[in-house]
Amino acid sequence: MASTGDDDDASTASDSGTGPSDERAGPSGTDLTRADGSGTSDGVVPATVEDASGYGLSLTLVGGVLLALAYYGYIAVTGPQTLGQAIPGPFYLLVFALLFVLELFQSRERGAIAVVRATVLALFYGGLTAFAIEGSVYLWRNPAVALNGYVGVTVLAVSLVVAALAYFLYLAALESNAAGK
C-alpha cells in the first residue's frame, strides 16, 4: 500500500510550532516551564518512581542493613567488647577515607558543598560501618542474640523504615530548599 504523504505533512505541521518559548515536558510528561513563562527549567524536576532505583535507593538499603548491624555493634561495644576488637582501629580510618573519596568524586557539584557533603556522608556511613563490623562479629560469636524470637528480623525491619524515612526527609529538605530559592 502506497503512502500519500499526508501523514508526513501532518507530523511536520504539528512539529513546526515547537519552539524555544513553548512549554516543555519532562520524561514523565510533567511541565518544566518556569513560572515566568520563559519555557526553561530551573533545574527542579519532580521526583518520579523511576528516580527511586538509583543511588539514593542503594544508599537507603545499605544504610538500613548497616543500621541493623550497628544496633548490635552498639550492644556489643556497651557490653562485652570494646570498639576496635573486631578489626584494628586504623582500618576504620581507612573506611572513612574511602567513603570520603568515593562520595567526593561521585558528587555532581564542586567546591565547598561537595566537601561538606562528602565529609558528612563519610562520618555517618563510616560510623555506621564501624559499628556494623563490630555488630557482625558480635552476632557471629553470639547468633542467639538475633535468632531468639526472631528479634533480628524486627531490628532489620525497623532499621529499613528508619533509613527510608531519613532519605525521605533528606529529599523533602532538598525540595523545600530548592523551592525557596
Side-chain angles (χ1 to χ4, degrees), residues 72-83:
Y72 289 109
Y74 175 76
I75 290 174
V77 169
T78 58
Q81 65 189 45
T82 60
L83 187 64

mmCIF file with all atom_site columns, all heavy atoms in Angstrom, residues 72-83:
data_model
loop_
_atom_site.group_PDB
_atom_site.id
_atom_site.type_symbol
_atom_site.label_atom_id
_atom_site.label_alt_id
_atom_site.label_comp_id
_atom_site.label_asym_id
_atom_site.label_entity_id
_atom_site.label_seq_id
_atom_site.pdbx_PDB_ins_code
_atom_site.Cartn_x
_atom_site.Cartn_y
_atom_site.Cartn_z
_atom_site.occupancy
_atom_site.B_iso_or_equiv
_atom_site.pdbx_formal_charge
_atom_site.auth_seq_id
_atom_site.auth_comp_id
_atom_site.auth_asym_id
_atom_site.auth_atom_id
_atom_site.pdbx_PDB_model_num
ATOM 1  N N   . TYR A 1 72 ? 23.468 -3.887 66.820 1.00 0.00 ? 72 TYR A N   1
ATOM 2  C CA  . TYR A 1 72 ? 24.151 -4.964 67.554 1.00 0.00 ? 72 TYR A CA  1
ATOM 3  C C   . TYR A 1 72 ? 25.586 -4.578 67.897 1.00 0.00 ? 72 TYR A C   1
ATOM 4  O O   . TYR A 1 72 ? 26.120 -5.017 68.917 1.00 0.00 ? 72 TYR A O   1
ATOM 5  C CB  . TYR A 1 72 ? 24.102 -6.266 66.758 1.00 0.00 ? 72 TYR A CB  1
ATOM 6  C CG  . TYR A 1 72 ? 22.716 -6.849 66.728 1.00 0.00 ? 72 TYR A CG  1
ATOM 7  C CD1 . TYR A 1 72 ? 21.953 -6.839 65.578 1.00 0.00 ? 72 TYR A CD1 1
ATOM 8  C CD2 . TYR A 1 72 ? 22.149 -7.395 67.886 1.00 0.00 ? 72 TYR A CD2 1
ATOM 9  C CE1 . TYR A 1 72 ? 20.665 -7.349 65.564 1.00 0.00 ? 72 TYR A CE1 1
ATOM 10 C CE2 . TYR A 1 72 ? 20.866 -7.900 67.883 1.00 0.00 ? 72 TYR A CE2 1
ATOM 11 C CZ  . TYR A 1 72 ? 20.131 -7.876 66.716 1.00 0.00 ? 72 TYR A CZ  1
ATOM 12 O OH  . TYR A 1 72 ? 18.854 -8.378 66.715 1.00 0.00 ? 72 TYR A OH  1
ATOM 13 N N   . GLY A 1 73 ? 26.206 -3.757 67.075 1.00 0.00 ? 73 GLY A N   1
ATOM 14 C CA  . GLY A 1 73 ? 27.533 -3.250 67.400 1.00 0.00 ? 73 GLY A CA  1
ATOM 15 C C   . GLY A 1 73 ? 27.503 -2.368 68.635 1.00 0.00 ? 73 GLY A C   1
ATOM 16 O O   . GLY A 1 73 ? 28.391 -2.432 69.491 1.00 0.00 ? 73 GLY A O   1
ATOM 17 N N   . TYR A 1 74 ? 26.462 -1.547 68.742 1.00 0.00 ? 74 TYR A N   1
ATOM 18 C CA  . TYR A 1 74 ? 26.302 -0.703 69.925 1.00 0.00 ? 74 TYR A CA  1
ATOM 19 C C   . TYR A 1 74 ? 26.107 -1.563 71.178 1.00 0.00 ? 74 TYR A C   1
ATOM 20 O O   . TYR A 1 74 ? 26.699 -1.293 72.214 1.00 0.00 ? 74 TYR A O   1
ATOM 21 C CB  . TYR A 1 74 ? 25.115 0.250  69.734 1.00 0.00 ? 74 TYR A CB  1
ATOM 22 C CG  . TYR A 1 74 ? 24.817 1.075  70.960 1.00 0.00 ? 74 TYR A CG  1
ATOM 23 C CD1 . TYR A 1 74 ? 25.616 2.156  71.301 1.00 0.00 ? 74 TYR A CD1 1
ATOM 24 C CD2 . TYR A 1 74 ? 23.752 0.749  71.795 1.00 0.00 ? 74 TYR A CD2 1
ATOM 25 C CE1 . TYR A 1 74 ? 25.356 2.905  72.432 1.00 0.00 ? 74 TYR A CE1 1
ATOM 26 C CE2 . TYR A 1 74 ? 23.489 1.489  72.930 1.00 0.00 ? 74 TYR A CE2 1
ATOM 27 C CZ  . TYR A 1 74 ? 24.292 2.567  73.247 1.00 0.00 ? 74 TYR A CZ  1
ATOM 28 O OH  . TYR A 1 74 ? 24.031 3.292  74.376 1.00 0.00 ? 74 TYR A OH  1
ATOM 29 N N   . ILE A 1 75 ? 25.281 -2.602 71.040 1.00 0.00 ? 75 ILE A N   1
ATOM 30 C CA  . ILE A 1 75 ? 25.079 -3.526 72.169 1.00 0.00 ? 75 ILE A CA  1
ATOM 31 C C   . ILE A 1 75 ? 26.400 -4.177 72.554 1.00 0.00 ? 75 ILE A C   1
ATOM 32 O O   . ILE A 1 75 ? 26.722 -4.304 73.733 1.00 0.00 ? 75 ILE A O   1
ATOM 33 C CB  . ILE A 1 75 ? 24.013 -4.587 71.824 1.00 0.00 ? 75 ILE A CB  1
ATOM 34 C CG1 . ILE A 1 75 ? 22.638 -3.936 71.750 1.00 0.00 ? 75 ILE A CG1 1
ATOM 35 C CG2 . ILE A 1 75 ? 24.013 -5.729 72.840 1.00 0.00 ? 75 ILE A CG2 1
ATOM 36 C CD1 . ILE A 1 75 ? 21.543 -4.865 71.278 1.00 0.00 ? 75 ILE A CD1 1
ATOM 37 N N   . ALA A 1 76 ? 27.183 -4.568 71.559 1.00 0.00 ? 76 ALA A N   1
ATOM 38 C CA  . ALA A 1 76 ? 28.457 -5.228 71.823 1.00 0.00 ? 76 ALA A CA  1
ATOM 39 C C   . ALA A 1 76 ? 29.445 -4.274 72.484 1.00 0.00 ? 76 ALA A C   1
ATOM 40 O O   . ALA A 1 76 ? 30.129 -4.642 73.445 1.00 0.00 ? 76 ALA A O   1
ATOM 41 C CB  . ALA A 1 76 ? 29.043 -5.773 70.534 1.00 0.00 ? 76 ALA A CB  1
ATOM 42 N N   . VAL A 1 77 ? 29.538 -3.049 71.978 1.00 0.00 ? 77 VAL A N   1
ATOM 43 C CA  . VAL A 1 77 ? 30.526 -2.092 72.488 1.00 0.00 ? 77 VAL A CA  1
ATOM 44 C C   . VAL A 1 77 ? 30.166 -1.618 73.886 1.00 0.00 ? 77 VAL A C   1
ATOM 45 O O   . VAL A 1 77 ? 31.050 -1.384 74.722 1.00 0.00 ? 77 VAL A O   1
ATOM 46 C CB  . VAL A 1 77 ? 30.672 -0.908 71.500 1.00 0.00 ? 77 VAL A CB  1
ATOM 47 C CG1 . VAL A 1 77 ? 31.467 0.224  72.097 1.00 0.00 ? 77 VAL A CG1 1
ATOM 48 C CG2 . VAL A 1 77 ? 31.322 -1.393 70.225 1.00 0.00 ? 77 VAL A CG2 1
ATOM 49 N N   . THR A 1 78 ? 28.886 -1.480 74.175 1.00 0.00 ? 78 THR A N   1
ATOM 50 C CA  . THR A 1 78 ? 28.492 -1.071 75.522 1.00 0.00 ? 78 THR A CA  1
ATOM 51 C C   . THR A 1 78 ? 28.449 -2.254 76.484 1.00 0.00 ? 78 THR A C   1
ATOM 52 O O   . THR A 1 78 ? 28.277 -2.046 77.678 1.00 0.00 ? 78 THR A O   1
ATOM 53 C CB  . THR A 1 78 ? 27.110 -0.388 75.513 1.00 0.00 ? 78 THR A CB  1
ATOM 54 O OG1 . THR A 1 78 ? 26.138 -1.273 74.965 1.00 0.00 ? 78 THR A OG1 1
ATOM 55 C CG2 . THR A 1 78 ? 27.159 0.901  74.719 1.00 0.00 ? 78 THR A CG2 1
ATOM 56 N N   . GLY A 1 79 ? 28.598 -3.442 75.940 1.00 0.00 ? 79 GLY A N   1
ATOM 57 C CA  . GLY A 1 79 ? 28.544 -4.646 76.772 1.00 0.00 ? 79 GLY A CA  1
ATOM 58 C C   . GLY A 1 79 ? 29.878 -5.377 76.826 1.00 0.00 ? 79 GLY A C   1
ATOM 59 O O   . GLY A 1 79 ? 30.859 -4.858 77.362 1.00 0.00 ? 79 GLY A O   1
ATOM 60 N N   . PRO A 1 80 ? 29.936 -6.532 76.191 1.00 0.00 ? 80 PRO A N   1
ATOM 61 C CA  . PRO A 1 80 ? 31.075 -7.429 76.390 1.00 0.00 ? 80 PRO A CA  1
ATOM 62 C C   . PRO A 1 80 ? 32.369 -7.068 75.666 1.00 0.00 ? 80 PRO A C   1
ATOM 63 O O   . PRO A 1 80 ? 33.418 -7.583 76.006 1.00 0.00 ? 80 PRO A O   1
ATOM 64 C CB  . PRO A 1 80 ? 30.547 -8.769 75.868 1.00 0.00 ? 80 PRO A CB  1
ATOM 65 C CG  . PRO A 1 80 ? 29.514 -8.425 74.873 1.00 0.00 ? 80 PRO A CG  1
ATOM 66 C CD  . PRO A 1 80 ? 28.884 -7.161 75.379 1.00 0.00 ? 80 PRO A CD  1
ATOM 67 N N   . GLN A 1 81 ? 32.349 -6.220 74.654 1.00 0.00 ? 81 GLN A N   1
ATOM 68 C CA  . GLN A 1 81 ? 33.596 -5.933 73.943 1.00 0.00 ? 81 GLN A CA  1
ATOM 69 C C   . GLN A 1 81 ? 33.790 -4.436 73.780 1.00 0.00 ? 81 GLN A C   1
ATOM 70 O O   . GLN A 1 81 ? 32.891 -3.647 74.050 1.00 0.00 ? 81 GLN A O   1
ATOM 71 C CB  . GLN A 1 81 ? 33.610 -6.639 72.577 1.00 0.00 ? 81 GLN A CB  1
ATOM 72 C CG  . GLN A 1 81 ? 32.579 -6.172 71.584 1.00 0.00 ? 81 GLN A CG  1
ATOM 73 C CD  . GLN A 1 81 ? 32.512 -7.064 70.358 1.00 0.00 ? 81 GLN A CD  1
ATOM 74 O OE1 . GLN A 1 81 ? 32.513 -8.278 70.473 1.00 0.00 ? 81 GLN A OE1 1
ATOM 75 N NE2 . GLN A 1 81 ? 32.433 -6.448 69.194 1.00 0.00 ? 81 GLN A NE2 1
ATOM 76 N N   . THR A 1 82 ? 34.981 -4.048 73.317 1.00 0.00 ? 82 THR A N   1
ATOM 77 C CA  . THR A 1 82 ? 35.289 -2.638 73.104 1.00 0.00 ? 82 THR A CA  1
ATOM 78 C C   . THR A 1 82 ? 35.393 -2.361 71.608 1.00 0.00 ? 82 THR A C   1
ATOM 79 O O   . THR A 1 82 ? 35.595 -3.279 70.813 1.00 0.00 ? 82 THR A O   1
ATOM 80 C CB  . THR A 1 82 ? 36.622 -2.258 73.777 1.00 0.00 ? 82 THR A CB  1
ATOM 81 O OG1 . THR A 1 82 ? 37.668 -3.049 73.207 1.00 0.00 ? 82 THR A OG1 1
ATOM 82 C CG2 . THR A 1 82 ? 36.563 -2.476 75.281 1.00 0.00 ? 82 THR A CG2 1
ATOM 83 N N   . LEU A 1 83 ? 35.257 -1.081 71.240 1.00 0.00 ? 83 LEU A N   1
ATOM 84 C CA  . LEU A 1 83 ? 35.374 -0.697 69.846 1.00 0.00 ? 83 LEU A CA  1
ATOM 85 C C   . LEU A 1 83 ? 36.792 -0.978 69.370 1.00 0.00 ? 83 LEU A C   1
ATOM 86 O O   . LEU A 1 83 ? 37.756 -0.630 70.043 1.00 0.00 ? 83 LEU A O   1
ATOM 87 C CB  . LEU A 1 83 ? 35.033 0.788  69.663 1.00 0.00 ? 83 LEU A CB  1
ATOM 88 C CG  . LEU A 1 83 ? 34.943 1.294  68.232 1.00 0.00 ? 83 LEU A CG  1
ATOM 89 C CD1 . LEU A 1 83 ? 33.803 0.606  67.497 1.00 0.00 ? 83 LEU A CD1 1
ATOM 90 C CD2 . LEU A 1 83 ? 34.733 2.792  68.204 1.00 0.00 ? 83 LEU A CD2 1
#
